[in-house]
Amino acid sequence: MTTTEPRKPSSSTTPPADRPPLVSRPLLLRFVSMFGASASFYLLLSVVPLYARHSGAGGNGAGATTGALMLATVAGEFMAPRFIERFGHRGTLGAGLLLMGAPALVLTMFSGVAWITVVCLLRGVGFALTVVAGGALTASFIPSERRGEGLALVGVVSGVPSLLGLPLGVWLVSEVGYAPVGVAAGVCALAPILSVPGLPEKEYIAGRRIGILDGIRDRAISRPALLFAVTALAAGIVVTFLPLAVPSASAGLVAVALFVQPAGAAVARVVAGRLGDRKGSSRLVLPGLAVSAVGMFVTAYTHSAVAVVIGVAVFGIGFGITQNSTIALMYSRVPASGYGTVSALWNIAYDAGMGVGAICFGVLAQQVGYPWGFVCTGALIVLALPSAWRDRPTERDRTAQAPAA
């Protein structure tokens, strides 16, 4: 891959009087579909494995449902550019919301792992289309001079549904059952379709195109994505198997734990965004991984309510740091024409990590049990630390962070 042009100076180096407004009408309108898609996704993320077990599936079957969801998402992210070329960003975003919402409405129409897996596959493709098409639209609505702040704001808006949806879904199932939760998730995705026609259609950025294979070959881009995939793998394990790992009488504990994990991630992401603008995002990847590993080790004490809550909170903080620092670092290492590739690779790392984690952990837990499974997950993150050390600040990053002459 050829040498890339430096990123524009961060918002901290731009005079306040010259800074364009961050929030615009198109961005606010985009927040509607972003919030709805995320709410639909997270509301069922931990509920579907429970429904699979309720339908007679064991731990492997429960993990397979999340695995199918995430792997279908990855496949959809590879296909999304073709949909965008043919139907445009708005058409692809609307189709994604439809594929997320309609299957959720009929989730409980039948039972059995096969039916649940089909629903997960359709929702996974739909979520991929909303992420890729919607993400490209969102990036075009954020002024380049305030990209760091904009990514932090987007992280908060997309993080709130996970903050509320994960514990709310588990709690609602215990109160009203699976069918109403499925309907609620369907409505969350279908209602925002009304906002899509009001979005401006994004035009492709001129310049040399950086393809997916180009990004994979460039270690400066692919290494942060792989490091993030390791923490995403652990995140998929937490949301899928924590409800199964703690004692069955601790439904309230699971709801609290699934609340503090995304809460910690959301706060950490905002802090990491500001620190990254000042100190450089490449300095934060290693600490984020280390904190994530500590959180997984503490979570392994599944029979201690205090340990579980503290463990997932610490993991959430580490995950949020890694989440924001890796995406910001990848953006800083490509020109504007490569933002779409960065978005695709980062989301593929996110979704593939969660899917692989859910599938493999189910098999591992059957052999060693849930506590030792969490220990092994923490150890896997530790093994990624040397790679993060090798990816510490480079001349390429210092050039991107330097103020303009």
Side-chain angles (χ1 to χ4, degrees):
M1 186 174 176
T2 58
T3 303
T4 56
E5 64 186 40
R7 186 180 60 173
K8 291 186 178 182
S10 64
S11 59
S12 61
T13 63
T14 305
D18 298 333
R19 298 169 75 192
L22 177 61
V23 179
S24 60
R25 182 181 179 278
L27 187 60
L28 287 174
L29 202 59
R30 169 66 187 118
F31 283 163
V32 175
S33 55
M34 181 189 302
F35 189 94
S38 296
S40 176
F41 182 81
Y42 285 105
L43 195 62
L44 290 184
L45 189 56
S46 288
V47 168
V48 169
L50 289 175
Y51 182 62
R53 187 177 67 174
H54 175 77
S55 301
N60 289 341
T65 59
T66 301
L69 173 72
M70 303 316 302
L71 294 180
T73 301
V74 172
E77 284 162 349
F78 278 107
M79 296 186 300
R82 292 186 178 274
F83 281 87
I84 294 172
E85 289 177 5
R86 182 166 184 177
F87 302 107
H89 291 82
R90 291 181 301 185
T92 304
L93 174 59
L97 292 169
L98 180 63
L99 284 174
M100 287 191 70
L105 295 178
V106 296
L107 170 64
T108 58
M109 181 175 294
F110 302 100
S111 60
V113 175
W115 170 255
I116 299 171
T117 300
V118 170
V119 170
C120 291
L121 289 172
L122 292 174
R123 281 174 52 82
V125 173
F127 186 62
L129 298 181
T130 65
V131 166
V132 176
L137 284 171
T138 303
S140 70
F141 300 152
I142 298 175
S144 58
E145 297 87 346
R146 304 186 67 179
R147 190 173 303 280
E149 286 182 274
L151 289 174
L153 179 60
V154 169
V156 171
V157 173
S158 62
V160 168
S162 66
L163 180 68
L164 302 177
L166 281 173
L168 182 62
V170 174
W171 179 78
L172 283 175
V173 163
S174 65
E175 297 295 321
V176 300
Y178 292 100
V181 178
V183 171
V187 172
C188 285
L190 295 174
I193 294 178
L194 298 175
S195 70
V196 173
L199 294 171
E201 179 63 45
K202 176 183 179 296
E203 296 182 1
Y204 284 101
I205 299 174
R208 190 181 72 83
R209 228 180 132 183
I210 300 175
I212 295 291
L213 292 180
D214 295 323
I216 293 174
R217 294 189 190 103
D218 189 344
R219 291 188 178 183
I221 301 174
S222 60
R223 181 178 287 160
L226 289 173
L227 293 173
F228 176 58
V230 175
T231 57
L233 180 146
I237 290 170
V238 169
V239 299
T240 302
F241 289 98
L242 190 65
L244 309 179
V246 301
S248 57
S250 303
L253 168 63
V254 173
V256 171
L258 292 178
F259 175 84
V260 300
Q261 187 265 324
V267 173
R269 185 169 183 179
V270 172
V271 174
R274 295 189 175 186
L275 287 176
D277 286 341
R278 297 173 184 174
K279 304 295 184 181
S281 298
S282 56
R283 300 179 184 273
L284 301 177
V285 178
L286 180 62
L289 286 168
V291 173
S292 299
V294 171
M296 292 306 300
F297 289 136
V298 176
T299 305
Y301 294 93
T302 55
H303 291 283
S304 169
V306 174
V308 168
V309 173
I310 292 177
V312 296
V314 172
F315 170 74
I317 292 171
F319 181 67
I321 295 172
T322 309
Q323 187 178 31
N324 201 81
S325 60
T326 52
I327 184 65
L329 180 60
M330 292 168 68
Y331 274 129
S332 74
R333 291 176 171 178
V334 299
S337 58
Y339 288 159
T341 294
V342 163
S343 178
L345 286 176
W346 188 84
N347 279 290
I348 288 169
Y350 196 167
D351 302 328
M354 291 192 71
V356 170
I359 292 174
C360 294
F361 189 86
V363 177
L364 178 64
Q366 291 289 322
Q367 303 299 319
V368 302
Y370 292 117
W372 279 108
F374 288 128
V375 170
C376 292
T377 305
L380 179 62
I381 299 175
V382 170
L383 292 177
L385 295 180
S387 181
W389 171 256
R390 288 193 294 271
D391 203 42
R392 61 191 183 278
T394 63
E395 184 62 33
R396 189 173 181 175
D397 300 324
R398 286 188 284 271
T399 300
Q401 289 290 329

